[in-house]
Amino acid sequence: MKVVNLKQAILQAWKERWSDYQWAINIKKNFPKGATWDYLNFAEALMEQAMIGPSPNPLILSYLKYAISSQMVSYSSVLTAISKFDGFSRELCVTSLLEIMDMFCHRLSCHGKAEECIGLCRALLGVVVWLLQGCAFYCEKLRELGPSAGTEASLKACQERLHNLMSSTKNRALVHIARLEDQGSWSNVEQAVLKVTEGLCNIPNPTLRTNLEESLSLVKSIPLMLSVQCDLPVRASFPSVHAFIMLEGTMNLTGEIQPMVEQLMMIKRMQHIPGPLFVLEIWKACFTGLIESPEGTEELKWTAFTFLKIPQVLLRLKKYPQGDKGQDFMEDVNVAFQYLLKLTPLLDKADQRCNCDCLGMLLQECNKLGLLSDSNTENLTSKREFAPRLKTAENANIQPNPGLILRAEPTVTNILKTVDADHSKSPEGLLGVLGHMLSGKSLDLLLAAAAATGKLKSFARKFIKLNEFPKHISGEGSKSASVRALLFDISFLMLCHVVQTYGSEVILSEPSPSGETPFFETWLQTCMPEEGKTLNPDHPCFRPEPGKVESLVTLLNNSSEMKLVQVKWHEICLSTPAAILEVLNAWENGVLSVEAVQKITDNIKGKVCSMAICAVAWLVAHVRMLGRDEREKPQTMIRQLVTPHYAENTLQFYNERVVIMSSIMEHMCADVFQQTGAVLRSPVEGQEPIPYRNLLPAKEPIHKALSQQFQAVLRKGWVDSRAFHLFESLLNMGGVFWFTNNLIKELLKETRQEWANRVVELLYSIFCLDTQQITLTLLGTILPNLLTDSAHWHSLSDPPGKALAKLSVWCALSSYSSHHKGPLSARQRKRQREDIEDYNSLFPLDDTQPSKLMRLLSSNEDEPAALSSPGDRSMSSSLSASQLHTVNMRDPLNRVLANLFLLFSSVLGSKMAGPHTQFVQSFVEECVECLEQGSRGSILQFMPFTMVSELVKLPALARPKVVLAITDLTLPLGRRVAAKAIAAL
C-alpha cells in the first residue's frame, strides 16, 4: 500500500507543483521513516516517474536530487535504480541520469552496517554493467547509422563516468568484493566488456576509442587487483638465498629435494627476487662452497651437491606449479649463466680448486636435463675466457672431483643391483666389488653421489642386509670363513663411516622391513659414540653372557691370532666390550703386563677391524666417566687399537680397511681426548684434522662467541659453512630460546636501515638451522615480551623495529607453509626437542580460561570490548578466519599465531600509541607484501576480524588494497568486514 501511496504522493506533488523542500516536508509527515527511506524503494519510484516521457521530468528529478543531497536515500539505492533503466535511445534521459551520478560518485562511501556496505558493492557492480551496456549500445548505433555527433557525445559521457568510477582503487576494490559475493554477476560484466570490445572499431574518433580501451582495461584488471606487485628496488645480491644454499650444501646433502625447492620458492616470493638473479645466487653459493670446503669428504660432498643435486633442484623449480612457465625458467637459467660468466675470479678460483672447467661441466649437466637449449649451451661455453689452470706436476695426474662424481652416480645404481643379487652360493664375487669400493676415495665418492641423488638410504639398507648375511653359518672351511668374516667387517666399517659422515638418521629414520631389528641398528643405537650423545658404559648391552666373555678373553690372551671358522661375528662384537673391561681390570691390578695387553689388542685388530671399533666405542664411553688421573691406561689401550697391526697373515684388503677403521676411531675419540687436551696420535704430515670439530673458543663465554661470530658474518655479508657449524654448536649448547633471544638483541642494536635489512636476511638463513622451534620461540615468547613490557618499547622503534617485523613475518610464513608439508629434516630431529614452555598453560584451548598471555594484556586496563565497534558487539573480539576454516588449534604454531594476533589486536585497541603500535603496523604491511594473494592458508587467517577496523585507522594501512589483502575474501564474513572497512575509507 505504501508504495502505491508513494506514487500517488509523487503525482500529487507534480500536479500541485510543490517545490523540492515542500515535497520533502510533506513526505516526512505522511511516511514514517523506517530504518532508512530505502525500504520504500524511494529512489526507484522517483526515477520511474521522472523517466516516463522521451525527456526527463525536471520537477520530479529535482525531488530525487533533493533526496540525495539530504541523504533521504542511500547511494546504493540510487545506483541500483539507475542501472535498471534500459532506454538508452532516450539520450536526454541518459544524460540526466549521468548528471545525477555526478552528484555523489566522486565520494562514494557508506558508514552503515556491513549488509549496507555489501549492498553498495553490488550496486556499484550493477552500475558498471549499465555503463558498459550504454557504451555498447552507442557503438552499435554508430555502426548502424554512421558517424553522428550526438551519439558520440552520449558515448563519451558514458565512457567518462565509467573511467571516473573505475580509476578509483576504492571503487574497484568494492566491485571486487561484489564479484566474489556473487560469482554469476561478474559474467554480466564480462559479456558487456566483450560487446564493447567488438564495437570499438566503429568509433571514428581515435581519442575516444583509446579512452574507452583504457576504461575497459581498468574493468578487466579488477580480478587481478591483488596479484599486481609494485616494482621493488633492484638489488644485486640476496644473502638469504646464498646462505640457505650454503646451509643445505654443508649440513643437509641427504635431505629430500622437494622441501628444499619449497623453501627456495618461499624466499623468492617473500623477497620478490627476479628469476635470473635468483638462479645466479644459487650458483654463486655453490661455487663459494666448492672453493672453501675443507679437503677430503667435505669437498666431495660439495662437489656432489653442486653437480648432482642442484641441477635436479633447478629441474623441480622449472616444473614448479605457481612458478614461471618452463620456457621462461630456461631463459632465467640462461641469463643467470651470462651473469655468472662475468664473475671471472670466482670461476677461476673454483677451476683451480677442482682442477677442471667447472662451468663447462655444469652447462653440460643443465643441457642434459633440458634446463638450457643446445644453442645457449654452445654460446655460453664459447664465452668463458679460460684462465691458465694450475696443472702442476703433482696434481696433473689427479682426476678432478667433478668428473669422478658424475661418473660415480651410475656406479651407485650398478652397485645397488650387484648387492641385491643372491650371493649365498658364491660370496667371493661380491667381495671383489666391496674391496674395490674401499680403495682410495672410492667409498667417499660413491656415498656423496648416493647422498646427493637420494639413494643413500637404500645404499645403507643393502649394507645392513649384507651385514646380517654372515650370521647364517653351515659347515664351512677356512676359505669361506674368511670370506664371511670380510663381508661382515667391510659392511660394518662402511655403515659406521656412513653414520659418521651423514648422521645416524640415514639408517634409523626408516624401520627395517623384517620384524627383528638388525644387529647393526641395535649396536648403533646403544653402543656407538656420536657427537652430542652420551653412553652408559655399564649398560646391559655391554654385558653379554659371562660364558661367552670368558671364552673370548681366553682366546685373545692365549692364541697367537683370532680363529675364523664357525665364529658368530655379531656375538663376538657384542662380547668385546666386556672382554676389554676384564683385560683393563687385570692390567690395572697388575695381573697383565703392558706387553700382554699389546698382544691382546693386536689380536683384536689383527683380522677383523669391527672388533677393534666395538672395543674403542666402549672405551670412549668408559673414559668419559673417569677423572683425569684414571684415564691413562684406557687411553693407552685406545692408542694401541688405533695403530694398524701389520702381521704376516692378515685378511684380504687389510690396508684399505685399516684406513677407514682409524678414521672411524678418530671421530669417536675426538670429544673425549679434547676434554683433557690429550692427543690420539702424533699428527701425520699432510693429514687434515677432522673438519668443523671443536669450533667453540676454549675460554670464552658462549654469548660472546655468538655475538662475535654474528658480527663477523654481518661484515662479510654472507654465512659460510664454518660459521653455520659454529652457530649449530651454539644452538645445541645454549638452547633455542637463548640462541634466538641473543640474535634478536643483535638485530635490535642495528640502527642503520641498510644494515638492519642485511641482518634480517642473514638471521633468516641462520634460523633455517631449526625454523620450526626458533619461530615458536620468536612469536610465542620473544615478541610478546617486547610488546607487553613498556620498558622494551623504545627498542622497537624503526629501523630495527621494522626489520624485526619483517624477520618475524618471514619466519612465520616459512614455518607455516613447511610444517604442513612433511616431517622435520634429519638435522632438526638430531637435537632433542625442547618445549619452549608448556604451550597449554601459555595458550589454553578453551576461551573460558584466560591464558597467561591474555592476563598479561589485560593489565592494560582496556576491556577487550573497546576493540569492537558498537554495531559489531555480537562478533567475539577473537573470532578469526582460522576458526571458520576449523584450523587445528592443538598445533603449537597455530596457537602461537592466534595468540600473537590477539595480542596485536589488544595493542591497537589500547589507548597508548608508540613504537609497539608501529611494530604491529609494520608486521601487517610485511604480511601484505609477502603473501601470495588470496591464499587461504596464510598466517593472516589468525587475525581477529575486529582488528581490521582498528588497522584502517592507521594512515599507512588505510588503503583499499591492504584491506582486501588482510581479509579472507573466500568467507562471507570476511567480505562483509572488508566491504565495511573499504566503504568507510
Side-chain angles (χ1 to χ4, degrees):
M1 276 310 289
K2 280 183 176 165
V3 176
V4 178
N5 293 344
L6 180 63
K7 283 188 180 171
Q8 286 172 351
I10 295 172
L11 286 171
Q12 188 185 348
W14 175 66
K15 280 178 193 163
E16 296 178 13
R17 300 289 188 271
W18 293 350
S19 66
D20 47 17
Y21 66 89
Q22 273 177 310
W23 172 82
I25 292 166
N26 285 329
I27 285 289
K28 285 177 183 174
K29 261 188 207 158
N30 294 316
F31 292 92
K33 181 184 179 211
T36 68
W37 296 91
D38 285 351
Y39 79 106
L40 293 171
N41 278 357
F42 208 41
E44 205 176 312
L46 283 169
M47 195 89 72
E48 218 174 84
Q49 294 300 323
M51 299 292 162
I52 285 173
S55 65
N57 181 324
L59 186 62
I60 299 181
L61 270 190
S62 72
Y63 298 164
L64 179 58
K65 288 175 182 173
Y66 188 88
I68 293 169
S69 305
S70 59
Q71 295 188 348
M72 286 171 71
V73 289
S74 66
Y75 296 148
S76 55
S77 67
V78 177
L79 290 174
T80 308
I82 290 175
S83 59
K84 286 184 180 169
F85 179 78
D86 53 4
F88 288 109
S89 54
R90 294 186 276 163
E91 291 177 10
L92 291 170
C93 291
V94 172
T95 310
S96 59
L97 289 178
L98 294 176
E99 282 167 4
I100 287 174
M101 277 176 67
D102 290 343
M103 290 175 64
F104 59 85
C105 276
H106 55 283
R107 52 182 166 85
L108 275 178
S109 62
C110 171
H111 296 276
K113 290 191 179 137
E115 282 307 323
E116 293 167 32
C117 299
I118 287 281
L120 178 61
C121 297
R122 288 189 165 128
L124 199 51
L125 186 128
V127 95
V128 168
V129 174
W130 182 75
L131 287 168
L132 286 165
Q133 287 167 343
C135 292
F137 177 84
Y138 295 121
C139 287
E140 184 64 19
K141 197 168 170 187
L142 284 170
R143 186 180 71 81
E144 288 170 3
L145 308 175
S148 124
T151 310
E152 241 181 71
S154 300
L155 176 59
K156 185 166 187 262
C158 286
Q159 179 271 322
E160 280 174 355
R161 299 328 187 276
L162 181 64
H163 191 273
N164 293 344
L165 268 184
M166 289 294 94
S167 54
S168 143
T169 316
K170 174 179 171 177
N171 293 348
R172 289 205 304 279
L174 293 171
V175 174
H176 182 61
I177 293 172
R179 178 182 82 86
L180 296 170
E181 187 69 20
D182 177 9
Q183 298 288 346
S185 62
W186 187 248
S187 59
N188 300 340
V189 176
E190 287 171 332
Q191 284 165 4
V193 166
L194 212 62
K195 272 192 183 161
V196 178
T197 314
E198 285 165 10
L200 280 172
C201 55
N202 307 320
I203 305 172
N205 179 343
T207 318
L208 179 56
R209 193 181 321 133
T210 315
N211 291 347
L212 187 52
E213 280 171 352
E214 265 177 40
S215 306
L216 288 178
S217 65
L218 281 172
V219 176
K220 286 184 203 161
S221 72
I222 289 172
L224 308 170
M225 268 196 87
L226 288 175
S227 51
V228 181
Q229 289 294 349
C230 51
D231 294 335
L232 280 126
V234 176
R235 294 170 301 154
S237 67
F238 298 90
S240 36
V241 179
H242 192 290
F244 178 68
I245 294 290
M246 292 300 283
L247 173 68
E248 287 289 312
T250 308
M251 297 184 169
N252 204 16
L253 180 61
T254 52
E256 301 271 323
I257 288 186
Q258 197 52 37
M260 182 177 168
V261 169
E262 298 285 350
Q263 181 70 36
L264 279 169
M265 280 309 287
M266 190 81 204
I267 298 175
K268 180 175 188 283
R269 276 197 303 263
M270 290 192 307
Q271 301 187 24
H272 310 292
I273 305 175
L277 292 178
F278 174 63
V279 179
L280 172 69
E281 203 64 54
I282 293 176
W283 287 131
K284 272 164 55 179
C286 287
F287 277 98
T288 314
L290 269 179
I291 293 165
E292 58 149 50
S293 56
E295 266 181 46
T297 318
E298 289 299 319
E299 186 183 351
L300 292 178
K301 279 176 160 183
W302 259 108
T303 313
F305 181 73
T306 305
F307 289 88
L308 293 176
K309 191 167 182 176
I310 288 292
Q312 289 297 330
V313 168
L314 291 178
L315 194 59
R316 293 272 180 104
L317 286 169
K318 178 182 169 185
K319 296 174 183 166
Y320 198 81
Q322 293 123 299
D324 313 321
K325 296 292 161 279
Q327 210 51 46
D328 301 347
F329 189 76
M330 283 175 73
E331 189 45 39
D332 287 349
V333 174
N334 178 31
V335 176
F337 273 122
Q338 287 177 5
Y339 288 153
L340 188 62
L341 278 167
K342 293 176 184 164
L343 304 175
T344 316
L346 181 73
L347 299 179
D348 288 354
K349 207 155 184 191
D351 287 357
Q352 210 174 339
R353 174 78 199 260
C354 300
N355 204 10
C356 65
D357 172 17
C358 293
L359 186 72
M361 289 177 123
L362 276 179
L363 291 171
Q364 291 306 320
E365 283 305 295
C366 290
N367 178 240
K368 274 185 216 162
L369 291 172
L371 291 163
L372 275 176
S373 65
D374 294 348
S375 57
N376 283 343
T377 310
E378 280 172 34
N379 179 22
L380 290 163
T381 312
S382 65
K383 279 186 185 169
R384 167 87 171 111
E385 296 155 15
F386 284 108
R389 248 182 269 119
L390 303 185
K391 281 205 167 179
T392 49
E394 71 265 15
N395 71 3
N397 53 5
I398 298 174
Q399 287 184 297
N401 285 335
L404 292 172
I405 280 283
L406 291 170
R407 285 209 296 282
E409 191 211 358
T411 317
V412 170
T413 319
N414 294 338
I415 287 176
L416 289 175
K417 282 182 193 157
T418 312
V419 177
D420 251 353
D422 181 19
H423 297 287
S424 47
K425 304 283 183 293
S426 60
E428 292 83 358
L430 180 59
L431 202 54
V433 175
L434 297 184
H436 183 67
M437 280 175 69
L438 293 180
S439 61
K441 55 181 178 185
S442 301
L443 181 60
D444 279 332
L445 271 168
L446 291 165
L447 292 180
T453 49
K455 297 191 182 108
L456 191 61
K457 279 185 183 174
S458 55
F459 208 81
R461 258 302 127 237
K462 300 275 187 290
F463 282 100
I464 285 180
K465 201 170 155 192
L466 192 61
N467 188 254
E468 292 290 288
F469 172 68
K471 276 185 180 177
H472 315 292
I473 316 168
S474 49
E476 63 173 3
S478 61
K479 182 162 189 287
S480 60
S482 64
V483 170
R484 204 168 52 78
L486 279 169
L487 283 180
F488 176 83
D489 198 38
I490 293 174
S491 55
F492 188 89
L493 287 168
M494 283 183 178
L495 287 166
C496 286
H497 187 62
V498 167
V499 168
Q500 286 185 340
T501 316
Y502 295 101
S504 49
E505 296 78 19
V506 174
I507 288 167
L508 300 176
S509 56
E510 292 170 8
S512 56
S514 61
E516 61 175 313
T517 313
F519 157 71
F520 185 79
E521 277 186 39
T522 316
W523 182 81
L524 167 63
Q525 282 173 297
T526 48
C527 311
M528 180 167 173
E530 289 181 88
E531 197 179 0
K533 172 169 146 188
T534 309
L535 297 169
N536 169 12
D538 302 327
H539 190 278
C541 71
F542 293 122
R543 300 273 173 278
E545 298 158 35
K548 289 181 181 170
V549 177
E550 219 163 287
S551 57
L552 179 61
V553 172
T554 315
L555 182 68
L556 290 171
N557 197 21
N558 299 341
S559 64
S560 58
E561 59 179 52
M562 280 292 293
K563 71 183 181 82
L564 303 174
V565 182
Q566 298 288 336
V567 171
K568 292 188 172 175
W569 288 109
H570 56 284
E571 284 184 8
I572 291 279
C573 281
L574 288 173
S575 309
T576 303
I580 286 286
L581 177 62
E582 295 293 320
V583 173
L584 187 61
N585 286 340
W587 184 21
E588 284 179 337
N589 294 320
V591 178
L592 288 175
S593 63
V594 179
E595 290 74 27
V597 173
Q598 179 73 56
K599 182 187 151 199
I600 290 172
T601 51
D602 284 350
N603 259 342
I604 290 176
K605 68 191 177 193
K607 290 275 171 77
V608 179
C609 300
S610 323
M611 276 180 74
I613 288 176
C614 294
V616 169
W618 178 80
L619 280 166
V620 166
H622 178 65
V623 169
R624 201 181 270 281
M625 302 298 168
L626 301 177
R628 187 173 196 144
D629 307 337
E630 303 163 301
R631 289 186 172 196
E632 189 192 339
K633 286 185 175 168
Q635 284 186 343
T636 307
M637 279 185 91
I638 292 178
R639 287 195 189 94
Q640 288 176 349
L641 287 162
V642 169
T643 322
H645 170 63
Y646 296 108
E648 287 304 300
N649 63 353
T650 51
L651 287 174
Q652 218 178 337
F653 307 121
Y654 186 67
N655 293 358
E656 289 88 342
R657 284 182 294 134
V658 162
V659 172
I660 296 183
M661 173 188 89
S662 301
S663 133
I664 292 169
M665 290 180 180
E666 265 187 54
H667 277 83
M668 283 180 172
C669 304
D671 286 356
V672 170
F673 274 75
Q674 187 218 346
Q675 288 173 346
T676 55
V679 284
L680 185 55
R681 55 180 174 189
S682 52
V684 185
E685 208 34 55
Q687 191 177 23
E688 291 291 314
I690 301 174
Y692 305 133
R693 269 293 173 93
N694 311 332
L695 294 172
L696 288 174
K699 292 178 180 174
E700 244 178 33
I702 54 174
H703 74 86
K704 200 167 172 189
L706 180 67
S707 180
Q708 282 175 353
Q709 180 60 64
F710 183 72
Q711 287 305 323
V713 160
L714 181 59
R715 282 194 300 277
K716 197 173 183 180
W718 50 280
V719 192
D720 57 22
S721 37
R722 186 184 172 283
F724 266 125
H725 278 276
L726 178 57
F727 282 131
E728 194 184 36
S729 308
L730 289 164
L731 173 58
N732 291 337
M733 191 173 282
V736 177
F737 175 77
W738 173 87
F739 183 77
T740 316
N741 197 34
N742 278 301
L743 284 174
I744 294 298
K745 282 179 187 168
E746 294 291 328
L747 167 58
L748 293 176
K749 281 181 204 166
E750 205 44 78
T751 51
R752 295 164 293 179
Q753 177 92 46
E754 197 181 327
W755 284 76
N757 287 339
R758 185 190 278 192
V759 173
V760 170
E761 296 205 16
L762 293 172
L763 280 185
Y764 173 73
S765 49
I766 293 168
F767 286 174
C768 287
L769 282 167
D770 192 348
T771 313
Q772 292 294 332
Q773 290 291 307
I774 287 176
T775 302
L776 286 174
T777 306
L778 176 61
L779 305 182
T781 311
I782 295 172
L783 289 187
N785 287 350
L786 290 170
L787 288 168
T788 49
D789 182 354
S790 52
H792 292 312
W793 287 351
H794 67 279
S795 63
L796 291 174
S797 49
D798 289 350
K802 198 178 180 68
L804 177 59
K806 186 190 281 273
L807 178 65
S808 308
V809 171
W810 287 4
C811 288
L813 285 173
S814 299
S815 282
Y816 191 76
S817 72
S818 66
H819 96 301
H820 297 301
K821 288 209 172 106
L824 295 167
S825 77
R827 196 183 61 250
Q828 294 171 354
R829 271 198 306 271
K830 188 165 72 178
R831 196 170 44 259
Q832 286 75 31
R833 319 303 308 137
E834 51 178 274
D835 271 318
I836 297 157
E837 235 188 279
D838 174 14
Y839 283 103
N840 285 354
S841 71
L842 189 58
F843 312 130
L845 271 175
D846 55 19
D847 291 333
T848 52
Q849 172 192 0
S851 71
K852 194 189 219 177
L853 185 62
M854 291 318 289
R855 283 200 301 279
L856 281 173
L857 305 183
S858 58
S859 62
N860 288 355
E861 278 140 32
D862 286 343
E863 78 239 76
L867 285 179
S868 48
S869 60
D872 290 334
R873 275 290 155 80
S874 56
M875 198 195 297
S876 146
S877 63
S878 64
L879 181 65
S880 68
S882 60
Q883 285 153 287
L884 300 177
H885 288 309
T886 56
V887 167
N888 169 22
M889 291 313 274
R890 288 187 180 279
D891 179 279
L893 182 63
N894 292 348
R895 291 171 83 138
V896 163
L897 284 165
N899 279 278
L900 183 65
F901 275 106
L902 278 178
L903 169 55
F904 285 170
S905 191
S906 164
V907 165
L908 291 177
S910 72
K911 296 181 179 67
M912 274 284 276
H916 59 307
T917 42
Q918 178 64 39
F919 176 84
V920 174
Q921 176 184 315
S922 302
F923 189 95
V924 174
E925 281 179 315
E926 191 57 38
C927 283
V928 171
E929 210 163 283
C930 289
L931 290 180
E932 307 128 273
Q933 298 312 352
S935 61
R936 168 183 151 173
S938 84
I939 59 171
L940 282 172
Q941 64 177 334
F942 294 99
M943 182 168 81
F945 286 119
T946 49
M947 189 168 145
V948 177
S949 54
E950 294 295 325
L951 284 171
V952 288
K953 292 176 188 168
L954 302 169
L957 297 176
R959 300 201 310 275
K961 275 193 181 180
V962 171
V963 178
L964 290 181
I966 60 180
T967 43
D968 187 338
L969 299 174
T970 57
L971 294 170
L973 183 55
R975 293 195 289 272
R976 273 155 186 64
V977 168
K980 191 167 178 346
I982 294 173
L985 287 177

